[in-house]
Short mmCIF file of all heavy atoms in Angstrom, two decimals:
data_model
loop_
_atom_site.label_atom_id
_atom_site.label_comp_id
_atom_site.label_asym_id
_atom_site.label_seq_id
_atom_site.Cartn_x
_atom_site.Cartn_y
_atom_site.Cartn_z
N GLU A 128 112.74 -26.46 -15.28
CA GLU A 128 112.41 -27.69 -15.95
C GLU A 128 111.07 -27.66 -16.70
O GLU A 128 110.97 -27.94 -17.86
CB GLU A 128 112.35 -28.85 -14.92
CG GLU A 128 113.69 -29.32 -14.52
CD GLU A 128 114.48 -29.93 -15.73
OE1 GLU A 128 113.82 -30.52 -16.62
OE2 GLU A 128 115.71 -29.78 -15.76
N LEU A 129 109.97 -27.39 -15.92
CA LEU A 129 108.65 -27.62 -16.48
C LEU A 129 108.37 -26.77 -17.67
O LEU A 129 107.85 -27.22 -18.71
CB LEU A 129 107.58 -27.31 -15.36
CG LEU A 129 107.32 -28.46 -14.37
CD1 LEU A 129 106.38 -28.03 -13.34
CD2 LEU A 129 106.86 -29.68 -15.16
N GLY A 130 108.71 -25.45 -17.61
CA GLY A 130 108.48 -24.55 -18.72
C GLY A 130 109.18 -25.04 -20.01
O GLY A 130 108.50 -25.30 -21.01
N PRO A 131 110.53 -25.23 -19.98
CA PRO A 131 111.19 -25.64 -21.22
C PRO A 131 110.70 -26.99 -21.73
O PRO A 131 110.48 -27.18 -22.92
CB PRO A 131 112.70 -25.71 -20.80
CG PRO A 131 112.76 -24.76 -19.63
CD PRO A 131 111.45 -24.87 -18.91
N VAL A 132 110.59 -28.03 -20.84
CA VAL A 132 110.28 -29.34 -21.30
C VAL A 132 108.87 -29.41 -21.85
O VAL A 132 108.57 -29.95 -22.91
CB VAL A 132 110.52 -30.38 -20.16
CG1 VAL A 132 109.98 -31.73 -20.55
CG2 VAL A 132 111.95 -30.43 -19.78
N LEU A 133 107.88 -28.89 -21.07
CA LEU A 133 106.49 -28.94 -21.54
C LEU A 133 106.29 -28.19 -22.85
O LEU A 133 105.61 -28.68 -23.74
CB LEU A 133 105.55 -28.36 -20.45
CG LEU A 133 105.16 -29.24 -19.33
CD1 LEU A 133 104.32 -28.59 -18.30
CD2 LEU A 133 104.42 -30.48 -19.89
N VAL A 134 106.85 -27.04 -22.97
CA VAL A 134 106.66 -26.21 -24.15
C VAL A 134 107.26 -27.00 -25.43
O VAL A 134 106.64 -27.09 -26.46
CB VAL A 134 107.32 -24.87 -24.06
CG1 VAL A 134 107.45 -24.15 -25.42
CG2 VAL A 134 106.48 -23.96 -23.13
N CYS A 135 108.47 -27.56 -25.22
CA CYS A 135 109.09 -28.29 -26.33
C CYS A 135 108.33 -29.59 -26.67
O CYS A 135 108.35 -29.99 -27.80
CB CYS A 135 110.59 -28.54 -26.03
SG CYS A 135 111.51 -27.03 -26.07
N LEU A 136 107.74 -30.22 -25.67
CA LEU A 136 106.91 -31.42 -25.98
C LEU A 136 105.73 -31.05 -26.80
O LEU A 136 105.34 -31.76 -27.76
CB LEU A 136 106.50 -32.10 -24.64
CG LEU A 136 107.58 -32.88 -23.91
CD1 LEU A 136 106.99 -33.49 -22.66
CD2 LEU A 136 108.16 -34.00 -24.82
N MET A 137 105.17 -29.88 -26.49
CA MET A 137 104.00 -29.40 -27.27
C MET A 137 104.42 -29.05 -28.72
O MET A 137 103.73 -29.34 -29.65
CB MET A 137 103.38 -28.17 -26.63
CG MET A 137 102.61 -28.49 -25.38
SD MET A 137 101.30 -29.67 -25.58
CE MET A 137 102.05 -31.13 -24.92
N LEU A 138 105.66 -28.49 -28.82
CA LEU A 138 106.16 -28.17 -30.17
C LEU A 138 106.42 -29.46 -30.94
O LEU A 138 106.18 -29.49 -32.17
CB LEU A 138 107.45 -27.36 -30.02
CG LEU A 138 107.32 -25.90 -29.60
CD1 LEU A 138 108.67 -25.27 -29.45
CD2 LEU A 138 106.50 -25.13 -30.59
N ALA A 139 106.97 -30.49 -30.24
CA ALA A 139 107.16 -31.74 -30.95
C ALA A 139 105.89 -32.38 -31.44
O ALA A 139 105.82 -32.91 -32.55
CB ALA A 139 107.88 -32.72 -30.02
N ALA A 140 104.83 -32.25 -30.62
CA ALA A 140 103.52 -32.81 -30.99
C ALA A 140 102.87 -32.03 -32.09
O ALA A 140 102.38 -32.63 -33.10
CB ALA A 140 102.65 -32.92 -29.77
N ARG A 141 102.86 -30.73 -32.01
CA ARG A 141 102.10 -29.94 -32.96
C ARG A 141 102.99 -29.60 -34.22
O ARG A 141 102.60 -29.95 -35.38
CB ARG A 141 101.64 -28.61 -32.37
CG ARG A 141 100.87 -27.76 -33.26
CD ARG A 141 100.58 -26.37 -32.79
NE ARG A 141 100.00 -25.56 -33.79
CZ ARG A 141 100.67 -24.97 -34.73
NH1 ARG A 141 101.99 -25.04 -34.76
NH2 ARG A 141 100.07 -24.24 -35.68
N VAL A 142 104.10 -29.01 -33.99
CA VAL A 142 104.93 -28.50 -35.12
C VAL A 142 105.71 -29.65 -35.74
O VAL A 142 105.76 -29.75 -36.97
CB VAL A 142 105.88 -27.36 -34.63
CG1 VAL A 142 106.75 -26.88 -35.78
CG2 VAL A 142 105.12 -26.28 -33.98
N GLY A 143 106.33 -30.53 -34.91
CA GLY A 143 107.07 -31.60 -35.47
C GLY A 143 106.21 -32.53 -36.34
O GLY A 143 106.65 -32.93 -37.41
N ALA A 144 105.00 -32.80 -35.88
CA ALA A 144 104.11 -33.69 -36.65
C ALA A 144 103.74 -32.99 -37.96
O ALA A 144 103.67 -33.59 -39.03
CB ALA A 144 102.86 -34.01 -35.83
N GLY A 145 103.49 -31.65 -37.85
CA GLY A 145 103.08 -30.88 -39.05
C GLY A 145 104.23 -30.89 -40.13
O GLY A 145 103.97 -31.08 -41.33
N ILE A 146 105.41 -30.66 -39.63
CA ILE A 146 106.60 -30.62 -40.58
C ILE A 146 106.83 -32.02 -41.24
O ILE A 146 106.97 -32.09 -42.47
CB ILE A 146 107.85 -30.19 -39.80
CG1 ILE A 146 107.76 -28.70 -39.48
CG2 ILE A 146 109.10 -30.43 -40.68
CD1 ILE A 146 108.90 -28.20 -38.60
#
Side-chain angles (χ1 to χ4, degrees):
E128 283 297 327
L129 279 177
V132 172
L133 276 179
V134 166
C135 288
L136 286 178
M137 289 303 102
L138 287 178
R141 182 190 171 276
V142 181
I146 290 174

